[in-house]
Amino acid sequence: MIAFLLIGTSRVVGQEKSDAAPVNLKGIWQMCFYVSGTPQVPGELKPSNSFKILSDDGKFTNMTMIPNHGAIIIGSGTYRQTAPNAYTEHVEKNLHLPQLVGVDNILEFEMKGGDVMVLKFFVKTDKDGNEINSWYYETWKRVKMP
């Protein structure tokens, strides 16, 4: 009887995991910020000069456009979705957060309206090894390609 219950439970758990389809994260994402004229209102979502490219082959590239100077790659590596609401970046390069180089960085995400993704990730130390134990939040909007 116990064996039967265990087999039945494992099938249900397995079905639940397989039913969770991965979110399509592939594409070009533009970092955005909420801008408001008054402190009581969150404001409008405005684009920045920073982009995240999540490619079909599992690579990511973060870049910033510098007006009248071109662009600079500030981060790169590989990524894979590891949970229905998270993906892991294996960081090979990061100018902004060099302490993440060589690390698997888990990014939790929440989709807002299909084209907006809010990322949350934890950083344990600063670039000098000092503990900061901080969560970073970023808002990204998918760039619609023609």
Side-chain angles (χ1 to χ4, degrees):
M1 181 71 157
I2 293 174
F4 178 74
L5 288 173
L6 289 174
I7 291 170
T9 303
S10 66
R11 284 185 182 168
V12 170
V13 171
Q15 287 174 351
E16 287 175 6
K17 286 184 180 179
S18 65
D19 289 344
V23 175
N24 180 13
L25 299 172
K26 297 172 189 164
I28 301 172
W29 297 85
Q30 187 169 18
M31 185 181 271
C32 297
F33 299 95
Y34 285 95
V35 178
S36 176
T38 62
Q40 297 81 13
V41 179
E44 295 180 50
L45 200 57
K46 297 287 185 179
S48 74
N49 292 335
S50 294
F51 296 86
K52 177 181 286 291
I53 302 166
L54 299 174
S55 65
D56 291 341
D57 62 357
K59 297 195 186 267
F60 80 89
T61 304
N62 294 338
M63 62 182 266
T64 298
M65 303 294 290
I66 304 169
N68 302 318
H69 287 87
I72 183 170
I73 294 175
I74 59 172
S76 62
T78 59
Y79 80 97
R80 63 185 167 82
Q81 189 169 349
T82 51
N85 66 334
Y87 75 94
T88 299
E89 292 181 346
H90 179 75
V91 182
E92 296 169 6
K93 176 182 183 177
N94 194 312
L95 298 179
H96 177 63
L97 297 167
Q99 66 271 34
L100 296 180
V101 173
V103 172
D104 284 342
N105 187 30
I106 299 169
L107 297 101
E108 297 176 18
F109 64 85
E110 181 180 350
M111 302 304 291
K112 305 262 186 181
D115 287 334
V116 175
M117 173 173 61
V118 177
L119 292 178
K120 175 177 88 168
F121 60 97
F122 186 78
V123 177
K124 185 175 175 80
T125 62
D126 66 13
K127 66 181 181 172
D128 298 320
N130 301 311
E131 282 195 30
I132 56 173
N133 296 322
S134 296
W135 286 95
Y136 285 69
Y137 289 81
E138 298 174 344
T139 302
W140 297 86
K141 185 169 180 160
R142 188 185 303 269
V143 175
K144 294 188 181 191
M145 300 300 290

